[in-house]
Amino acid sequence: MEVKIFDSTADLALYAARIFQNVIKENSAPVLGLATGASPVETYKELIKMYNNGEISFKDVTTFNLDEYCDLPKDDKNSYYTFMMENLFNYVDIDKNNVNIPDGNAADTDKYGEEYDKKIMNAGGIDIQLLGIGVNGHIGFNEPSESFSEGTHKVKLTDSTLKANSRYFTDSEMPHYALTMGIGSIMNAKKIVLIATGEAKAQAVYSAVKGEVSPNCPASILQTHNDAIFLLDSAAASML
């Protein structure tokens, strides 16, 4: 695991975007694993700038998102489908047929999860996976538990995650369940980039980087990945 600390979130976002740019240019049919939430927003802005400047194209890119809320309409303003469209996909030349976001409304989530993982495998696997980290150390929506999860599955969100994300649901109740790639699915990515900013993430970052590898801090499993990098601002890195 590599750790890089930046003085500004702008520098961090540009560095992350350059990593993605290199992967896209190095592969004829790149497969990107993407994340939502506050952490990747600035990186997506940098990728859009690169596209507008003619430095990058998404026309041959396939994407798989980490997760989606359950029991939330696809076009709801708080769905991760909407998030991805409004923060990246509507502004680049990606073929929307190559965009894959978990269906939180699938009737049979177990079967759907198996099909989602199979689709990733059939695409050749994820070349680079973008992650954030929750205040409790979750990646995707893989919450602290007694064991590391494997494939894409339905999960009940913890109180800390509900509290952290409820600020987005100002006029509706936040869903209590989500569909998420499992830890096994994430670890299959060839390269992993985790972004963390702000003092609120400092303890989770410390546990992930310096703590024991334990499902009590799901992100700690990244210590065992052969090509994972943590990109941190000074606040998120303050306990290292």
Side-chain angles (χ1 to χ4, degrees), residues 110-156:
D110 289 341
K111 181 180 179 181
Y112 180 84
E114 292 175 3
E115 292 172 348
Y116 197 74
D117 290 331
K118 186 175 182 180
K119 195 169 185 179
I120 293 173
M121 182 178 66
N122 290 340
I126 292 173
D127 294 305
I128 181 170
Q129 176 68 59
L130 182 61
L131 298 174
I133 185 172
V135 294
N136 62 2
H138 76 233
I139 48 177
F141 271 131
N142 294 283
E143 304 283 20
S145 64
E146 295 181 356
S147 61
F148 290 112
S149 59
E150 288 297 330
T152 299
H153 64 289
K154 185 176 182 178
V155 62
K156 189 178 191 301

Side-chain angles (χ1 to χ4, degrees), residues 48-87:
I48 292 168
K49 286 181 188 176
M50 290 177 182
Y51 166 70
N52 289 332
N53 291 336
E55 300 175 57
I56 194 173
S57 171
F58 289 79
K59 64 183 179 62
D60 297 319
V61 168
T62 298
T63 65
F64 290 91
N65 261 73
L66 278 168
D67 44 29
E68 178 61 282
Y69 291 115
C70 292
D71 306 316
L72 194 68
K74 180 179 178 180
D75 58 355
D76 187 276
K77 67 178 182 178
N78 290 312
S79 76
Y80 287 158
Y81 172 88
T82 298
F83 176 97
M84 290 306 305
M85 294 300 163
E86 293 183 348
N87 286 281

Side-chain angles (χ1 to χ4, degrees), residues 178-194:
L179 202 61
T180 183
M181 280 189 204
I183 296 295
S185 304
I186 292 169
M187 290 293 286
N188 283 334
K190 299 176 184 73
K191 185 178 188 68
I192 294 176
V193 176
L194 185 146

Side-chain angles (χ1 to χ4, degrees), residues 3-66:
V3 176
K4 289 188 71 70
I5 302 170
F6 297 83
D7 292 330
S8 73
T9 55
D11 289 343
L12 188 162
L14 180 58
Y15 190 92
R18 291 295 183 199
I19 295 176
F20 273 78
Q21 179 189 29
N22 289 339
V23 170
I24 291 171
K25 287 188 170 184
E26 290 167 1
N27 291 273
S28 59
V31 180
L32 313 182
L34 300 179
T36 53
S39 298
V41 170
E42 295 304 314
T43 298
Y44 292 154
K45 288 180 180 177
E46 291 296 336
L47 288 172
I48 292 168
K49 286 181 188 176
M50 290 177 182
Y51 166 70
N52 289 332
N53 291 336
E55 300 175 57
I56 194 173
S57 171
F58 289 79
K59 64 183 179 62
D60 297 319
V61 168
T62 298
T63 65
F64 290 91
N65 261 73
L66 278 168

